[in-house]
Amino acid sequence: MSSFLLLCQKDLRYLIRARGVALSTFGFALLLTLVSSFAFRQVGYSQQEMAEITPGILWLIFLFSGVIALGNGFSYEVENSAIRGPIFSGTDPSVFFLSKFVSNFLFLASLQLFVLLAHGVLFGIEYFGVFGELLLLALLGGMSFVALGTLFSAIAASLPGKDILLPLMLFPLSIPPVAGSVFLMRQVLLEQSYQWTDFWFLLLLGSCAISTVLSWALFAYVVRE
Amino acid sequence: MKVEEIVSIDFLTKSRTTRRVLPLLSILGIFLSLYCIFTVVPNERVMGAAQRIFYFHVGSIMGAYLMIAVLFFSSLAYLGSRKDEWDALAAGAASIALLFCTVGLATGMIWGHSAWNVWWRWEPRLVSFFVLWLILFSYSMLRGFSSGNASQKNYAAVLGIISAVNVPIVIYSIKLLDHTQQLHPEVVEKQGLKDPSYWYTFALTNVSLLLFALWLLSLATTALLLSRQTEELAAGE
Amino acid sequence: MALLRLREVSKRYGACRALHKVSVEVTSGGFYLFRGPNGAGKSTLFRCAMGMERPDSGVVEVDGTSIASNEYYQQVLKKYRPSYLGPDHALYAHLSVEENLLLRAQLSSREDAKGVTADCVERFSLSVFAKKRLSECSQGMQRRAALAACFVASPSIVFLDEPFVNLDTVSAELMQQELLSAHALGVTVCLATHASNIELPSEAKTVRLDQGKVCS
């Protein structure tokens, strides 16, 4: 088995065996959805207005639960210096990054799917026609977020105050892809079409590409002194 | 002066040109700009006297951009050479960038207040500068949490590179967010000032503030390098 | 030619000087004992030799070339598969002992990784604990598993920093035997320890460190 698959298997095993960690992250996302249903529903928005603010609410939930998932994803590597094993076995740091990125992305994707469903139920929004498109846009935004987040979680893991440092580094730099994702999701919910060549869509794709390439290239410097 | 001399750190920290000429030129330039701004340039048609803050507002933002460019190149240089001077330069550049960005935001808010009567409005350019401020703030926090060992210098360099690359993306994308929300006091390009004195005052203020930023950078970098050298000496030879 | 050479290596942590212009040569197949009081710089020396930390000045060379460059460092890791045993066990708490060893063996591209892992489990008497998750093992078992992980990838050189600390007599004896047999097979052993009753091979060399300098 290639190193990449071996490392992914190691991450998957962590998610399954340290079940509590994964479950509590989903629980936290559910809690945030519930809280936001109180925070926004009470104000008596119309269906149209809800469609306008829904993408923003969704992304707030993705960001907060996502940052916790990312932090957990690297903290067990630094515990007892476990990451030393793969690194000194001669694994390419870029391969290590890719495996971490893929594991984190798959976890965030399942989190986003879960939140979209829970949100639809709690807020009574009918997503049926557009669910696929919404999920795709959420995933595209999530890809930039996870690429940068994987790199920054590696940086923050060995520093004091890692829990606050990770969102502090990650959130400002995630604003362009998140803003793009929110804008396009709003277009979809308001049944307005958008083109592949639209600025926001290109920005979303561009952010994915730039974040992933930069994080992949710079990861080696984070792992080795 | 050779090209290598100008591009090296020594130009900023040790050269006599820097230590004498830069502060002289920049402070003289700033006083001259203030004179021009308050006495030479006529009132702008739409906004009146309040528009005069524009020169320092744009100047500070330009200074912040220059420092971010320095941050980018010195972070790259540190990762390539692992020489401490580049790390010190990056740290200095980031702190001066944060300073200039704070001034830019504050002057932006003052200007906005005179135009809109509120201290803050969700206006794309102001918001994008705020995001820029947060990016620089997070870099400072990373430095603050680090105790200065070599791997933490790597972290700062990595964050510096990613932040600097994202700055144009952040600024550009937020500006295009919603054309109908462009409430930025549209200034001189569109209406207002046609007097030629505007151009040279604008140029003078910008250049003076850029020189001022460079001078502050040289001070910050020198201070950092000296404190690290002192630590090294304290460790004993 | 020396396998590993440190030339005038200096390293400080803040105001504390850990190593001062240390030069050490390690030849292939040798057994080196590093001695010195606490804070002498033995751990820092090992970490610089392993490439875990960069010296402030001086060079760390393997086969005559500095390991400062990342590409060469990766080549060295693949060629010599160096192992390091420090205070942390460097294993994944959520994986079993066997899974940890297997992962190490597979990542080091060992042919017949499963066979090598099974053999290692035998050698280090880990059979009872092989399927247990590392987090469920006692500290002593974790140390033994860490030692096994050091040798599972057939390293050409091992660095052991205070390996006898917190070991029961059985584990300590296992460790001792493993070190001697590894050395007999040609593995270069670098051992830093305070323990006094260690059986050393006859050709073992001792390097004394004090306050970051090599004493002659």
Side-chain angles (χ1 to χ4, degrees):
Chain A
M1 252 210 285
S2 74
S3 308
F4 171 74
L5 289 173
L6 284 168
L7 293 168
C8 286
Q9 184 192 48
K10 175 244 315 161
D11 289 326
L12 187 65
R13 280 189 171 145
Y14 179 74
L15 281 174
I16 295 173
R17 290 181 190 182
R19 255 185 298 275
V21 174
L23 275 176
S24 37
T25 314
F26 274 85
F28 181 61
L30 189 60
L31 192 61
L32 284 174
T33 315
L34 185 64
V35 167
S36 63
S37 76
F38 279 104
F40 292 95
R41 195 110 173 118
Q42 298 281 20
V43 190
Y45 283 114
S46 73
Q47 201 66 341
Q48 161 88 353
E49 282 161 326
M50 277 314 296
E52 291 216 7
I53 65 172
T54 293
I57 301 173
L58 284 171
W59 263 104
L60 274 176
I61 301 172
F62 294 156
L63 285 174
F64 286 120
S65 45
V67 82
I68 289 185
L70 286 167
N72 284 330
F74 218 89
S75 63
Y76 78 87
E77 298 281 352
V78 170
E79 219 177 271
N80 300 307
S81 311
I83 190 176
R84 238 198 278 142
I87 297 300
F88 287 144
S89 300
T91 311
D92 202 346
S94 332
V95 172
F96 193 89
F97 169 78
L98 275 174
S99 71
K100 223 17 151 185
F101 169 65
V102 166
S103 318
N104 283 338
F105 180 70
L106 288 175
F107 187 62
L108 187 76
S110 50
L111 207 57
Q112 286 179 315
L113 177 64
F114 175 72
V115 169
L116 269 173
L117 290 170
H119 193 270
V121 166
L122 278 170
F123 280 73
I125 299 180
E126 282 165 14
Y127 285 146
F128 303 126
V130 296
F131 191 81
E133 228 176 327
L134 278 180
L135 185 63
L136 175 69
L137 290 169
L139 290 177
L140 279 175
M143 193 166 146
S144 292
F145 180 73
V146 167
L148 288 175
T150 306
L151 181 69
F152 291 155
S153 63
I155 289 178
S158 54
L159 289 169
K162 61 183 164 191
D163 296 314
I164 191 60
L165 202 54
L166 177 58
L168 212 54
M169 291 192 284
L170 184 54
F171 284 7
L173 293 170
S174 301
I175 285 177
V178 169
S181 182
V182 165
F183 186 82
L184 290 170
M185 281 165 92
R186 193 184 295 138
Q187 299 284 80
V188 166
L189 281 172
L190 293 175
E191 279 157 42
Q192 293 164 9
S193 65
Y194 60 91
Q195 311 285 45
W196 290 83
T197 48
D198 260 358
F199 170 73
W200 284 110
F201 196 76
L202 290 175
L203 177 71
L204 206 51
L205 289 177
S207 295
C208 285
I210 295 177
S211 311
T212 313
V213 167
L214 267 180
S215 307
W216 173 82
L218 292 170
F219 193 76
Y221 294 100
V222 167
V223 143
R224 192 191 168 200
E225 207 187 80
Chain B
M1 248 187 308
K2 290 181 243 163
V3 176
E4 308 93 70
E5 273 182 53
I6 296 178
V7 174
S8 82
I9 301 281
D10 285 351
F11 177 70
L12 269 179
T13 55
K14 292 183 189 150
S15 144
R16 252 193 214 161
T17 320
T18 313
R19 281 191 301 183
R20 306 252 167 98
V21 173
L22 258 186
L24 199 66
L25 274 183
S26 55
I27 293 183
L28 256 179
I30 289 177
F31 276 112
L32 201 57
S33 321
L34 283 169
Y35 175 77
C36 289
I37 290 170
F38 286 108
T39 55
V40 173
V41 175
N43 256 358
E44 197 253 347
R45 201 179 358 132
V46 175
M47 287 209 56
Q51 182 269 338
R52 291 174 198 269
I53 204 171
F54 155 86
Y55 300 95
F56 268 77
H57 171 66
V58 176
S60 339
I61 297 293
M62 289 297 131
Y65 287 161
L66 175 68
M67 290 296 112
I68 290 171
V70 172
L71 172 65
F72 177 68
F73 287 111
S74 51
S75 298
L76 273 177
Y78 177 73
L79 287 183
S81 69
R82 302 298 163 104
K83 284 212 183 116
D84 199 40
E85 297 98 67
W86 294 113
D87 175 72
L89 186 65
S95 54
I96 305 301
L98 185 60
L99 173 69
F100 273 67
C101 192
T102 311
V103 171
L105 254 185
T107 50
M109 284 164 70
I110 294 172
W111 193 14
H113 179 80
S114 67
W116 317 313
N117 258 328
V118 280
W119 289 109
W120 186 267
R121 217 174 207 179
W122 210 99
E123 194 269 322
R125 227 170 290 187
L126 211 53
V127 169
S128 64
F129 292 151
F130 188 35
V131 175
L132 178 62
W133 189 91
L134 285 170
I135 292 176
L136 292 168
F137 178 70
S138 73
Y139 182 94
S140 308
M141 285 294 105
L142 179 68
R143 285 275 182 188
F145 278 113
S146 307
S147 51
N149 67 42
S151 53
Q152 288 164 359
K153 287 183 191 164
N154 271 12
Y155 298 162
V158 164
L159 184 63
I161 291 171
I162 294 195
S163 304
V165 166
N166 273 285
V167 161
I169 301 174
V170 166
I171 304 288
Y172 189 61
S173 62
I174 297 186
K175 253 195 238 191
L176 267 105
L177 200 61
D178 191 349
H179 287 287
T180 61
Q181 285 194 290
Q182 288 285 359
L183 297 164
H184 205 84
E186 273 313 337
V187 128
V188 210
E189 305 98 62
K190 301 280 172 69
Q191 49 206 357
L193 218 50
K194 295 215 166 50
D195 197 293
S197 64
Y198 153 77
W199 295 108
Y200 64 72
T201 312
F202 183 62
L204 179 64
T205 317
N206 271 0
V207 169
S208 317
L209 284 174
L210 288 177
L211 288 175
F212 188 61
L214 282 172
W215 178 47
L216 289 180
L217 175 65
S218 75
L219 289 175
T221 311
T222 316
L224 256 170
L225 282 173
L226 281 175
S227 78
R228 287 177 188 181
Q229 280 167 12
T230 314
E231 238 181 36
E232 221 177 273
L233 288 172
E237 269 303 74
Chain C
M1 184 177 59
L3 169 65
L4 170 71
R5 184 183 281 136
L6 277 80
R7 282 185 206 274
E8 307 259 305
V9 162
S10 298
K11 177 89 185 165
R12 66 178 173 86
Y13 298 107
C16 167
R17 176 132 265 157
L19 289 178
H20 180 64
K21 295 210 171 89
V22 165
S23 294
V24 172
E25 251 185 56
V26 169
T27 47
S28 183
F31 193 108
Y32 295 85
L33 183 64
F34 289 82
R35 287 228 189 260
N38 288 331
K42 306 188 291 294
S43 302
T44 314
L45 183 70
F46 278 14
R47 294 165 73 87
C48 287
M50 270 296 283
M52 287 159 70
E53 287 180 7
R54 273 177 207 268
D56 295 329
S57 64
V59 193
V60 178
E61 287 174 358
V62 172
D63 282 346
T65 310
S66 161
I67 58 170
S69 114
N70 280 335
E71 298 85 53
Y72 184 67
Y73 182 61
Q74 288 296 123
Q75 281 174 33
V76 164
L77 287 178
K78 286 199 172 68
K79 185 176 175 194
Y80 291 109
R81 298 177 303 282
S83 278
Y84 173 81
L85 182 64
D88 288 332
H89 53 67
L91 296 171
Y92 288 101
H94 67 283
L95 296 178
S96 73
V97 171
E98 193 171 23
E99 282 165 350
N100 265 301
L101 293 176
L102 188 60
L103 180 66
R104 210 51 99 82
Q106 285 171 323
L107 286 176
S108 309
S109 318
R110 298 279 294 132
E111 303 109 37
D112 188 27
K114 290 216 170 96
V116 166
T117 309
D119 175 59
C120 231
V121 164
E122 268 288 320
R123 238 158 70 205
F124 289 88
S125 306
L126 291 166
S127 320
V128 183
F129 303 90
K131 306 276 184 210
K132 251 190 161 179
R133 256 182 247 180
L134 203 76
S135 50
E136 293 162 12
C137 293
S138 68
Q139 208 188 42
M141 281 307 123
Q142 287 177 356
R143 292 291 295 170
R144 217 194 274 182
L147 180 69
C150 253
F151 288 98
V152 74
S154 295
S156 308
I157 180 167
V158 290
F159 295 90
L160 302 140
D161 192 359
E162 301 290 353
F164 294 103
V165 166
N166 284 336
L167 279 189
D168 56 53
T169 18
V170 176
S171 303
E173 257 186 54
L174 264 172
M175 171 97 68
Q176 179 81 87
Q177 272 170 37
E178 187 58 39
L179 286 180
L180 289 172
S181 54
H183 173 69
L185 287 169
V187 176
T188 314
V189 177
C190 295
L191 174 67
T193 183
H194 288 145
S196 44
N197 53 345
I198 308 190
E199 207 186 307
L200 299 170
S202 46
E203 56 287 7
K205 295 196 184 83
T206 306
V207 178
R208 275 179 216 286
L209 282 169
D210 194 10
Q211 291 188 332
K213 298 185 189 155
V214 175
C215 317
S216 40

